[in-house]
């Protein structure tokens, strides 16, 4: 983890499996994802993280998708944070998130 005075850049990668059901039609696929962003410290226990992410589920009807978003973290201690965020994909869908983050 490289921290600089201006922020902490990161990359992420994930794999998984997705299930979908639309109008009674079920489908599933392997899923992969890559992304990057920068975590900025804005207060002693608060960070803001803009990011960009690409994901694809090759066996589903849709093509890959780009997500652009930002999340805010309130760090309860060195490893755990409460997180809220918003993102928008290239199909103009908007997503909201509430959760936790863990860093090591």
């Amino acid at each position: 983890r490289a921290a600089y005075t201006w922020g902490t850049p990161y990359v992420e990668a994930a794999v998984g499996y997705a299930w979908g059901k639309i109008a009674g039609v079920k489908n599933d696929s392997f899923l992969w994802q890559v992304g990057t962003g920068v975590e900025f410290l804005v207060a002693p226990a608060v960070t803001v993280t803009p990011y960009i992410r690409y994901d694809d589920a090759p066996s589903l009807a849709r093509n890959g998708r780009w997500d652009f978003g930002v999340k805010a973290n309130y760090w309860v201690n060195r490893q755990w944070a409460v997180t809220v965020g918003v993102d928008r994909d290239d199909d103009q869908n908007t997503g909201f998130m509430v959760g936790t983050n863990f860093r090591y």
Side-chain angles (χ1 to χ4, degrees), residues 38 48-51 68-72 83-88 95 97:
V38 177
V48 174
T49 308
Y51 63 88
F68 309 89
V70 64
K71 56 187 172 182
T83 303
V84 296
V86 62
D87 67 9
R88 189 148 173 104
M97 69 178 97

Side-chain angles (χ1 to χ4, degrees), residues 8-62:
T8 304
Y10 72 91
V11 295
E12 62 183 29
V15 295
Y17 209 77
W19 294 267
K21 182 178 179 183
I22 299 174
V25 177
K26 295 179 183 179
N27 206 347
D28 56 2
S29 177
F30 169 77
L31 172 72
W32 63 273
Q33 181 181 83
V34 294
T36 188
V38 177
E39 182 180 41
F40 296 102
L41 183 65
V42 296
V46 179
T47 57
V48 174
T49 308
Y51 63 88
I52 183 171
R53 186 180 305 136
Y54 181 80
D55 66 62
D56 193 15
S59 297
L60 296 181
R62 66 170 178 83

